[in-house]
Amino acid sequence: MNDRIKKVLEGKNSNYMLPFFWQHGEDEATLREYMEAINNDNISAVCIESRPHPDFAGPKWWHDMDVILDEARKRNMKVWILDDSHFPSGFANGALRNEPDDLRRQSITFRRETVNCGETFVCEGKELLEAGPMEPDERDVPFYVKAGMEQADKIRFSDDRLLGVFAVRKDKNAAGAPFADLDGVKDLTGMINGGRLEWTAPEGEWYVYLMHLTRNRGAQREHINMMDRRSVKVFIDTVYEAHWEHYKDDFGKTIAGFFSDEPDIGNGPLYDADLKPGCRDAADFPWSIELEQRLKDRLGVKYPGYLALLWENDADTEEKTQLRYLYMDCVSSLVKECFSDQIGNWCREHGVQYIGHSIEDNDITSRTGSALGHYFRGLAGQDMAGIDVIGGQLYPQAEDTSMSLGVWGPRKGAFFHYELAALAASAAAIEPLKKGDAMCEVFGAYGWGEGVYLEKYLLDHLLVRGINHFVPHAFSPKEFPDYDCPPHFYAHGHNPQYRHFGELMKYGNRIGELISGGRHYAPVAIAYDGESDWMGERESISLTAKAMSEHQVNYDFLPDDVFADRKLYGTGISEKKFEVNHNCYSILLIPSRQYISSTLAEAAVELTANKVPVLFIDTFPEAVGDRKDDALYAKLKDIPVVSKTEAVKLAKEAGAWDVSVSPAVPGIRFYHYLHDDGTQIWMFTNEGKDPYRGNINIRMHGGNEAEMYLYDAWENRSFKAAQNADGTYPLALSPRKSILFILDPSENTEDIAGFEEYVPDIDEVIDNGIKLLPDSGWKRSICTNLEYPGFHDEKEVLLPDDLAEEMPAFSGLVRYAAEYSVKEAGRYTLIITDASEGVEVFVDGESCGIQIVPPFVYHPELSIGKHEIAVEVATTLERERAAVPDNFGHTYEPDCLSGLTGHVTLKR
């Protein structure tokens, strides 16, 4: 048997959970209590969330770290460290306050004046030499965003610099000459005399552009410049080296690594989702000394004459798209080299790993501002791909749901459901450094209404899309209630679902073990759209991904770099297929975009020549955007343009599939994972609203002679897999349930101990032989989690219980007990059709286990005679907390149910 499967069945799997453990400067006893509570929740690692700590990298911090590391060593736990004292990562614990200003962030700004023939343009003093005030933020944003920008603008610098003044003929639509010749741009900078510029326009209409460099932009003016090696080195010296000096003996042992939380480039208003070239005249864009040199190397000493094209949308299309691509290519490459690679290399040189994530919200991964300019480059130096899922982003059946995400605008459901997790899974697959590891920070800021029922959905959503490491958000040792981004999983013992959450962690660790150490199978390649977003308009790749996913076709997103740097990515093209880092693809889909890069265009032509299908989705690009290449563009004409529906059909015809379901439904998700020993794993989940019953056709990749078996990760049990006469396999899944099919060529299922017949819970529930226990005769009692198991206030109730209406402010545990006489001994099936939320069943005082998704199905062995059946239901803390004003003074009416809200049935 595959060693990983054997370890899982024996309960010896590794840990894949590293929850945030927030630090506020608590006392030693509290820190030790929480390390024990986290470990007892089936978790063997923590990520120390330093943001709230009052003395990061000071005496109190080192004292608290000593305590945590001592507990971690005793418990064989790993410790990850969030790398800064202030959100987002890059504040460097305030170190830049004592460094030269040229290490801080810098922006380039733009101002345009119109001058007609014979008119004289005059500019002098501050108007000429300084960038001017920051643009007013006209967005409808929360008060804390406005407050953040107002606070940032109090930090002022006096080193504004005029980069140049340029005049361009407006009526010729030539805001820049061809790249090889700048004669069309008049450089007026040399005409400045005594702080004054006068220029009389000759024939025609003219634009005059003033380009300034300034540090008086952005919301994080004391953060490092991500495009400056020296600035990032200050970050490393201040935070990383300091921890090395204190704990070098723990590096690579107890200390596993560092976590960067949402590092950003930082230009523009806080959380502005639109910061890309051409967005608006008032925008500022990032700058650094290294960027200036790189642009000068690429464009020559007169490079400033081009930069107005970052804003000027009336310019010649070719010049505009070429400049915008070049600029963003330089920006994102420098972020990769100066920030991500530099920190990642330091970590690996010191025996630890580097992980984290940037802001991905609503498809901004290729923007500046709150993002890093390119999803793959921004995280290139990390040892795991990373994303986060926080409140409002993912919900069941919300693929097409739009609602306000505040500063991010209307929610793009397709992005969160079909692109977000796949970005991380793709990076993990194609980048050799990441070795298949993808991480998600998850559960945070959903509020106290989020319990294990929703958390199970979120975890499955990510697992079945290839995420295999998780940072649950969060364990907070602050005095209860801590209003900061709940839920909190322990909450000083107040959370009724603490034990249930531990079972969820056990479940996640089991599957994490099975989908690690190998590679996934995703035969469709979808071209990442970041490079095209720099140049013009594009349709989100999530919409093409949605079409694939709803037809059970798995995919990876590929950036242009896999074709530009083939040695790094192990990219090879052969007849009818191509490989990237040992991942094989049968087809390339290019979602709709206004411009295509030359790198992708050349790859598309080469793939077509090698009989690999390439498809443009819905539209044909207008041009090769990053260089003038009519010959290359002409070669693209042979590539067909198809609809998304046609693309699904053609992908399957090209062999780019490995599972089909009948009847076909969009809500069945699967993930195919291969291990080097030939073991293959298919994880299936049901994200639909209704139970699914049907058949699946699994296309094998070797191992056809081996037998298939099933694995229930919640119960940690294996079953023989039934097979139909036509070779398909029956699949029955309730909503939010999962099952794994395993093909293990090293084993015959007859030789594996512990196998039994697998009966899906759907069959249990609809079986005509069900014997319904009476809805009357149940005695209900309640307690808080701190009182557990001291239940009180017993009373007789009728099922389904209306506890939420009867006790609208109650949160805790609810016990329902009844007696039932058995006339024939044997194995019985007990089913609870619904409850809110976590359930534990006791028969004669013995636990039958915890379950968190209905229907809750148990199989107790009962002897002849009378038995007590008790059902304990754990609520969330929402009802208790909703009636109490939070730190913003808000209360609300919860709509969650409480207690046993269904029926209880029992059959032999």
Side-chain angles (χ1 to χ4, degrees):
M1 177 179 282
N2 177 284
D3 288 341
R4 287 180 179 271
I5 299 170
K6 191 178 298 183
K7 284 169 62 178
V8 168
L9 290 171
E10 294 173 354
K12 298 178 181 177
N13 50 272
S14 300
N15 175 73
Y16 296 84
M17 306 291 166
L18 40 143
F20 279 151
F21 179 19
W22 287 2
Q23 299 301 305
H24 312 84
E26 283 80 12
D27 59 62
E28 180 174 336
T30 298
L31 296 178
R32 294 188 184 276
E33 173 196 351
Y34 260 74
M35 286 294 285
E36 179 180 15
I38 294 169
N39 196 206
N40 287 345
D41 236 7
N42 300 308
I43 297 168
S44 297
V46 292
C47 184
I48 304 303
E49 164 61 283
S50 49
R51 171 171 58 84
H53 199 282
D55 190 32
F56 180 70
K60 174 60 176 166
W61 173 259
W62 302 124
H63 169 270
D64 293 352
M65 282 295 298
D66 289 347
V67 172
I68 292 168
L69 288 169
D70 181 58
E71 283 291 323
R73 295 185 202 103
K74 291 176 183 177
R75 300 175 181 280
N76 195 29
M77 296 175 70
K78 300 297 184 184
V79 175
W80 298 77
I81 302 167
L82 200 145
D83 61 2
D84 218 332
S85 61
H86 192 286
F87 171 87
S89 289
F91 180 59
N93 201 27
L96 289 189
R97 293 168 179 166
N98 301 313
E99 297 289 338
D101 285 349
D102 67 354
L103 297 183
R104 294 176 183 260
R105 294 180 171 180
Q106 194 171 27
S107 292
I108 181 172
T109 66
F110 159 97
R111 196 161 77 246
R112 177 181 56 208
E113 301 288 345
T114 300
V115 185
N116 294 317
C117 177
E119 294 180 349
T120 300
F121 171 75
V122 179
C123 191
E124 61 185 331
K126 287 186 176 183
E127 185 182 9
L128 176 63
L129 302 177
E130 297 182 8
M134 183 172 60
E135 64 170 314
D137 193 348
E138 304 294 344
R139 300 172 298 161
D140 182 16
V141 295
F143 73 90
Y144 60 85
V145 174
K146 287 187 178 295
M149 289 305 299
E150 290 171 359
Q151 188 64 31
D153 212 29
K154 294 178 181 178
I155 302 172
R156 306 292 298 176
F157 299 91
S158 58
D159 63 341
D160 280 12
R161 170 185 153 203
L162 177 67
L163 190 61
V165 185
F166 307 92
V168 178
R169 277 288 294 270
K170 174 185 175 183
D171 52 341
K172 285 189 175 181
N173 254 354
F179 269 42
D181 183 7
L182 278 173
D183 289 342
V185 178
K186 292 185 178 295
D187 187 350
L188 309 183
T189 314
M191 298 175 63
I192 298 172
N193 185 12
R196 178 182 172 88
L197 170 65
E198 288 189 23
W199 177 74
T200 301
E203 178 185 359
E205 296 177 88
W206 294 79
Y207 281 141
V208 175
Y209 300 113
L210 291 90
M211 319 292 294
H212 290 90
L213 302 181
T214 181
R215 303 186 198 280
N216 298 314
R217 292 293 188 275
Q220 288 101 25
R221 300 180 189 179
E222 297 186 310
H223 281 59
I224 60 169
N225 191 326
M226 300 292 177
M227 302 181 295
D228 188 314
R229 265 166 259 264
R230 302 167 306 142
S231 185
V232 176
K233 183 63 163 55
V234 172
F235 186 25
I236 293 172
D237 291 344
T238 302
V239 176
Y240 290 75
E241 289 283 359
H243 284 83
W244 169 255
E245 287 303 314
H246 277 81
Y247 303 117
K248 63 180 66 176
D249 292 340
D250 285 302
F251 270 52
K253 299 172 185 174
T254 303
I255 294 179
F258 291 86
F259 183 108
S260 279
D261 193 22
E262 300 185 355
D264 63 6
I265 292 176
N267 58 295
L270 186 62
Y271 302 140
D272 186 342
D274 296 325
L275 286 170
K276 56 173 281 188
C279 63
R280 59 185 181 275
D281 288 355
D284 61 278
F285 291 105
W287 196 261
S288 75
I289 293 173
E290 293 192 50
L291 176 62
E292 184 169 353
Q293 185 59 51
R294 191 157 296 190
L295 291 172
K296 189 179 297 183
D297 292 343
R298 299 280 291 272
L299 298 174
V301 294
K302 295 184 178 181
Y303 73 93
Y306 286 97
L307 294 178
L309 293 170
L310 291 175
W311 293 268
E312 184 55 77
N313 289 319
D314 291 336
D316 178 82
T317 297
E318 289 181 0
E319 296 162 358
K320 178 175 62 182
T321 58
Q322 290 170 31
L323 184 281
R324 291 176 179 181
Y325 180 94
L326 174 61
Y327 172 82
M328 288 300 300
D329 181 48
C330 291
V331 166
S332 57
S333 295
L334 284 169
V335 169
K336 173 186 179 296
E337 298 163 20
C338 300
F339 175 70
S340 191
D341 284 349
Q342 187 178 183
I343 294 178
N345 290 337
W346 185 96
C347 286
R348 288 180 285 277
E349 289 166 3
H350 291 77
V352 294
Q353 290 187 310
Y354 177 45
I355 64 173
H357 75 98
S358 59
I359 288 183
E360 313 90 10
D361 300 55
N362 256 6
D363 212 1
I364 71 162
T365 63
S366 52
R367 307 290 169 88
T368 62
S370 294
L372 293 174
H374 191 284
Y375 176 80
F376 295 90
R377 292 180 181 179
L379 303 182
Q382 297 190 350
D383 293 279
M384 299 182 191
I387 57 170
D388 78 341
V389 170
I390 59 172
Q393 295 181 341
L394 277 178
Y395 283 105
Q397 293 91 52
E399 292 87 346
D400 301 310
T401 301
S402 178
M403 55 186 166
S404 174
L405 290 181
V407 293
W408 302 117
R411 175 183 181 271
K412 298 177 181 177
F415 168 77
F416 291 112
H417 285 260
Y418 301 106
E419 182 177 347
L420 179 58
L423 282 170
S426 300
I430 66 175
E431 296 180 29
L433 179 63
K434 293 177 171 51
K435 301 176 182 176
D437 290 330
M439 177 278 304
C440 180
E441 175 194 329
V442 66
F443 306 142
Y446 273 82
W448 288 114
E450 178 197 62
V452 287
Y453 183 49
L454 176 56
E455 288 161 355
K456 170 67 160 57
Y457 164 82
L458 295 173
L459 192 61
D460 276 345
H461 174 101
L462 296 162
L463 286 165
V464 82
R465 288 163 172 81
I467 307 300
N468 54 9
H469 293 76
F470 298 89
V471 178
H473 182 304
F475 283 89
S476 174
K478 191 174 182 179
E479 182 180 355
F480 179 80
D482 182 359
Y483 297 109
D484 193 348
C485 298
H488 304 129
F489 311 124
Y490 180 55
H492 284 281
H494 287 266
N495 195 328
Q497 295 184 0
Y498 164 71
R499 292 178 300 113
H500 308 71
F501 184 77
E503 292 300 307
L504 181 62
M505 296 296 94
K506 189 184 294 183
Y507 165 85
N509 277 327
R510 289 168 182 157
I511 298 181
E513 182 76 34
L514 297 180
I515 60 171
S516 296
R519 59 186 175 86
H520 75 199
Y521 180 72
V524 170
I526 299 177
Y528 176 64
D529 55 359
E531 298 87 351
S532 292
D533 187 39
W534 300 341
M535 296 184 284
E537 300 302 316
R538 46 89 197 227
E539 180 182 78
S540 174
I541 53 177
S542 63
L543 300 180
T544 298
K546 178 183 180 183
M548 296 296 126
S549 182
E550 290 185 343
H551 291 84
Q552 289 78 45
V553 176
N554 283 347
Y555 51 86
D556 279 335
F557 296 124
L558 302 186
D560 289 2
D561 289 342
V562 303
F563 300 111
D565 194 343
R566 300 190 182 190
K567 183 177 180 181
L568 173 65
Y569 286 93
T571 302
I573 298 175
S574 56
E575 186 172 353
K576 295 185 179 181
K577 67 178 182 179
F578 68 104
E579 290 189 0
V580 180
N581 192 32
H582 307 294
N583 297 280
C584 187
Y585 305 98
S586 303
I587 191 169
L588 173 65
L589 308 181
I590 305 177
S592 178
R593 57 198 62 195
Q594 188 176 9
Y595 303 109
I596 188 172
S597 70
S598 58
T599 298
L600 182 57
E602 288 170 345
V605 171
E606 183 180 358
L607 289 167
T608 301
N610 284 276
K611 301 180 181 178
V612 179
V614 178
L615 304 175
F616 287 115
I617 307 301
D618 292 330
T619 65
F620 195 81
E622 294 178 13
V624 174
D626 59 319
R627 74 174 191 230
K628 182 176 177 55
D629 196 329
D630 294 338
L632 176 58
Y633 185 65
K635 292 178 182 178
L636 297 176
K637 297 292 186 179
D638 294 331
I639 297 175
V641 178
V642 302
S643 69
K644 297 177 183 67
T645 301
E646 290 175 301
V648 173
K649 178 176 177 290
L650 292 170
K652 290 186 175 183
E653 290 177 357
W657 69 277
D658 60 344
V659 163
S660 62
V661 301
S662 178
V665 295
I668 296 297
R669 309 276 183 250
F670 85 97
Y671 184 65
H672 185 186
Y673 203 78
L674 302 93
H675 288 277
D676 290 341
D677 66 357
T679 299
Q680 298 183 61
I681 297 170
W682 293 263
M683 177 184 179
F684 288 87
T685 64
N686 182 356
E687 293 186 356
K689 293 186 290 187
D690 301 316
Y692 178 80
R693 179 194 294 281
N695 298 293
I696 56 172
N697 181 19
I698 296 179
R699 186 181 182 209
M700 308 295 181
H701 295 266
N704 299 57
E705 69 286 352
E707 289 190 68
M708 186 80 75
Y709 60 95
L710 307 180
Y711 174 65
D712 183 333
W714 188 268
E715 298 291 344
N716 197 28
R717 296 194 317 198
S718 298
F719 307 88
K720 291 182 180 179
Q723 190 170 19
N724 301 317
D726 62 358
T728 62
Y729 295 89
L731 177 68
L733 271 181
S734 292
R736 307 197 195 193
K737 295 289 182 83
S738 69
I739 192 70
L740 283 77
F741 284 68
I742 299 177
L743 192 72
D744 188 344
S746 66
E747 283 292 344
N748 185 303
T749 56
E750 297 293 342
D751 302 327
I752 303 176
F755 271 103
E756 55 190 285
E757 182 183 1
Y758 177 67
V759 182
D761 54 40
I762 295 173
D763 294 346
E764 304 277 21
V765 172
I766 68 172
D767 190 287
N768 293 328
I770 276 183
K771 184 171 183 179
L772 183 65
L773 287 177
D775 286 338
S776 59
W778 291 89
K779 293 180 179 179
R780 185 192 74 198
S781 52
I782 61 173
C783 70
T784 66
N785 200 55
L786 292 178
E787 295 171 326
Y788 184 80
F791 289 97
H792 52 80
D793 292 340
E794 184 176 271
K795 64 177 290 188
E796 190 164 315
V797 297
L798 184 71
L799 300 183
D801 190 11
D802 59 357
L803 177 63
E805 183 177 344
E806 180 183 338
M807 302 180 65
F810 172 77
S811 292
L813 292 110
V814 193
R815 186 176 190 268
Y816 300 84
E819 290 187 342
Y820 182 72
S821 293
V822 172
K823 296 181 180 179
E824 188 176 353
R827 189 185 191 206
Y828 283 72
T829 296
L830 184 147
I831 303 164
I832 301 151
T833 59
D834 204 3
S836 293
E837 288 189 341
V839 166
E840 185 171 12
V841 167
F842 294 82
V843 176
D844 300 327
E846 292 292 323
S847 175
C848 297
I850 288 174
Q851 295 190 28
I852 61 175
V853 176
F856 309 92
V857 180
Y858 294 86
H859 300 284
E861 294 283 344
L862 300 180
S863 59
I864 297 174
K866 189 176 291 187
H867 297 275
E868 183 194 56
I869 296 175
V871 181
E872 293 182 1
V873 182
T875 75
T876 67
L877 279 168
E878 181 179 27
R879 289 192 166 273
E880 174 188 317
R881 301 311 320 154
V884 180
D886 63 18
N887 54 346
F888 299 126
H890 299 152
T891 62
Y892 65 97
E893 288 292 330
D895 57 8
C896 63
L897 299 177
S898 298
L900 211 166
T901 54
H903 303 280
V904 182
T905 64
L906 187 70
K907 75 167 186 175
R908 189 172 186 277

